[in-house]
Amino acid sequence: MAKVLCVMGTRPEAIKMAPVILALKKEPWAQVRVLATAQHRQMLDQVNQFFGVAPDIDLDIMQPNQALTTLTARLLLDLDDVLQSEAPDAVLVQGDTTTVMTVALACFYHRIPIGHVEAGLRTWDMQNPFPEEANRVLAGKLARWHFAPTQQSRNNLLKEGIADRDITVTGNTVIDALLMSASRELEIGVDLDPARRLVLVTSHRRENFGEPFRNVCRALRALAQANAGVQFLYPVHPNPNIKGVAHELLADLDNFILCEPLDYAPFIGAMKRAHIILTDSGGVQEEAPALGKPVLVLRDETERPEAVEQGVVKLVGPHFDAIVQETQRLLDDEQTYRAMARGVSPYGDGHAAERIVGILREHFA
Ligand code: UD1
Ligand code: UDP
């Protein structure tokens, strides 16, 4: 038996790692162990409940308004003990969070091979997104297996000198997870007016903290005031740098609902119900096109260019004028709307986890 330790820290890692964990558990050669660093607490737990994943080890690391260096230092100390006592044959990480970078480094020091799920996403700008671009570049340098979601992410890795034989294009497990939720109850749990169109918003990126995020909120405010017949729903990320500003600038508007982060299934329900989605989230940029929803990205760059190239996602940055103009155009112009609501899935076909497990099986079984 090979012991495979699957690691998750935040909400998106739990969502995108769940299909891999569930697929690995069916493999007779694999002893699957799940490590939650719990860089996120509530947002992580609700995802694991949905997928029926129970972490074997939980570092419970989250602290309010945690700083990146402190988080990294505390994680490294805890990981030393875990890697020593677990002694896994391989460790799987997903994405580009501080958990991923730290686990990759700790595994490297312990000489344990790492599989990187969602490998090769790049903007080629270390400041955007911050700190994720650095996290994924560092994790990529240290990984043994690179599970690239798309051909473009594979090309990025080749450009960095990663050997072709170590890269597999698998698709993104986010689509596996999305399809798993298709047959489930997706009740949103928020009182929405069925007669009104819905604009769904999410935002949490660190590089937008401060004035850029205030601009986003000012633009949302202007849009809500100009479109009384449209409802806006914004499940607010609990990061204090986001939550305070969002409530300060948007809470008093009649047609703007601010709520706690939605659990995964209700959020899928909200995406399905939405007319337009405004977001800076990576995962939402991948899911929304598959659901046929136009996406305006509140960033200047994206490591997910595939949907932009297909014309179903557009970058508007954290810029007042662009956010207002492009959202208004989608609300008013039927032709523009239809062109962006085509329903394409450049990020996966729902079989990414099978392909990842296939590579590990070849190696271990
Ligand atoms: C983190 C990741 C980011 C990822 C995002 C997904 C890093 C540096 N950032 O950003 O890449 O896109 O998660 O959402 O790895 N909090 C809670 N409850 C929770 C989760 C967070 O209260 O369940 C609050 C805490 O005050 C916490 C703060 O949010 O300290 C920030 O959490 P952190 O994981 O450091 O950063 P995120 O902005 O969530
Ligand atoms: N999501 C959720 N509830 C919400 C907002 C988002 O469950 O209120 C899900 C969403 O479907 C996607 C993931 O969380 O799968 C994205 O996480 P997030 O935006 O926090 O991180 P990112 O993808 O930007 O790293």
Side-chain angles (χ1 to χ4, degrees):
M1 294 277 272
K3 192 192 260 194
V4 184
L5 184 68
C6 300
V7 184
M8 54 174 73
T10 65
R11 168 173 68 190
E13 291 163 77
I15 292 167
K16 292 170 170 180
M17 190 60 93
V20 180
I21 293 170
L22 298 175
L24 262 180
K25 283 197 164 168
K26 293 185 191 144
E27 295 291 303
W29 55 269
Q31 183 194 357
V32 185
R33 301 276 289 168
V34 177
L35 165 64
T37 64
Q39 178 181 331
H40 282 177
R41 185 69 278 169
Q42 309 87 329
M43 297 211 295
L44 184 81
D45 295 344
Q46 55 89 11
V47 176
N48 284 334
Q49 274 162 25
F50 177 80
F51 287 104
V53 169
D56 301 291
I57 310 146
D58 191 323
L59 301 181
D60 200 20
I61 208 87
M62 193 190 90
Q63 288 182 342
N65 206 11
Q66 56 206 0
L68 297 177
T69 38
T70 322
L71 173 64
T72 303
R74 293 172 61 238
L75 276 170
L76 276 173
L77 285 175
D78 282 5
L79 286 166
D80 225 14
D81 295 340
V82 172
L83 294 178
Q84 225 142 36
S85 60
E86 288 287 316
D89 297 295
V91 171
L92 299 184
V93 291
Q94 192 289 327
D96 50 23
T97 65
T98 295
T99 287
V100 172
M101 185 275 290
T102 311
V103 170
L105 181 61
C107 286
F108 177 70
Y109 287 157
H110 283 257
R111 294 182 171 274
I112 298 165
I114 302 149
H116 189 200
V117 179
E118 197 182 82
L121 275 64
R122 297 288 183 272
T123 58
W124 308 105
D125 176 356
M126 283 293 187
Q127 304 304 321
N128 278 299
F130 174 88
E132 290 82 3
E133 179 79 358
N135 286 342
R136 59 197 175 211
V137 167
L138 294 167
K141 267 279 171 239
L142 301 172
R144 160 71 182 78
W145 298 280
H146 304 261
F147 302 116
T150 66
Q151 194 57 44
Q152 293 207 32
S153 43
R154 172 176 173 269
N155 292 344
N156 291 338
L157 291 166
L158 291 173
K159 222 157 121 181
E160 285 184 353
I162 307 288
D164 200 7
R165 64 172 181 277
D166 297 337
I167 308 169
T168 313
V169 177
T170 59
N172 198 310
T173 55
V174 76
I175 304 296
D176 301 30
L178 187 64
L179 296 181
M180 282 177 192
S181 71
S183 58
R184 307 275 286 271
E185 176 57 61
L186 300 178
E187 185 67 39
I188 304 171
V190 176
D191 194 15
L192 297 170
D193 178 354
R196 292 203 271 173
R197 291 181 295 176
L198 180 71
V199 175
L200 178 66
V201 181
T202 82
S203 185
H204 68 80
R205 298 245 81 89
R206 268 182 163 76
E207 68 273 13
N208 280 353
F209 286 179
E211 203 47 31
F213 181 62
R214 294 188 85 85
N215 271 334
V216 169
C217 290
R218 288 185 196 113
L220 293 171
R221 184 174 183 84
L223 281 163
Q225 285 172 331
N227 297 279
V230 175
Q231 266 191 327
F232 291 73
L233 173 63
Y234 178 3
V236 183
H237 194 287
N239 194 315
N241 301 284
I242 291 291
K243 202 173 175 176
V245 179
H247 280 269
E248 178 198 327
L249 294 177
L250 299 165
D252 62 320
L253 297 164
D254 286 343
N255 56 339
F256 213 109
I257 303 171
L258 294 177
C259 64
E260 293 292 311
L262 293 175
D263 286 356
Y264 179 60
F267 187 74
I268 303 287
M271 280 196 290
K272 286 188 158 173
R273 168 70 176 76
H275 188 62
I276 304 167
I277 300 177
L278 271 62
T279 190
D280 62 15
S281 160
V284 176
Q285 282 180 66
E286 294 155 347
E287 294 159 338
L291 297 171
K293 303 298 173 176
V295 179
L296 298 177
V297 176
L298 305 165
R299 296 172 51 190
D300 287 320
E301 300 185 76
T302 182
E303 56 289 296
R304 294 164 170 92
E306 294 85 354
V308 179
E309 283 156 15
Q310 298 223 18
V312 297
V313 167
K314 193 165 191 175
L315 300 181
V316 290
H319 309 300
F320 183 94
D321 288 343
I323 298 168
V324 171
Q325 279 163 20
E326 295 300 332
T327 308
Q328 200 62 53
R329 197 195 313 272
L330 280 171
L331 286 170
D332 295 344
D333 180 355
E334 184 59 29
Q335 213 178 334
T336 305
Y337 184 84
R338 266 192 276 117
M340 283 189 78
R342 283 184 285 110
V344 295
S345 186
Y347 300 107
D349 60 0
H351 297 282
E354 280 166 40
R355 297 187 186 101
I356 291 167
V357 170
I359 295 293
L360 296 173
R361 187 190 302 123
E362 258 175 44
H363 184 85
F364 286 111

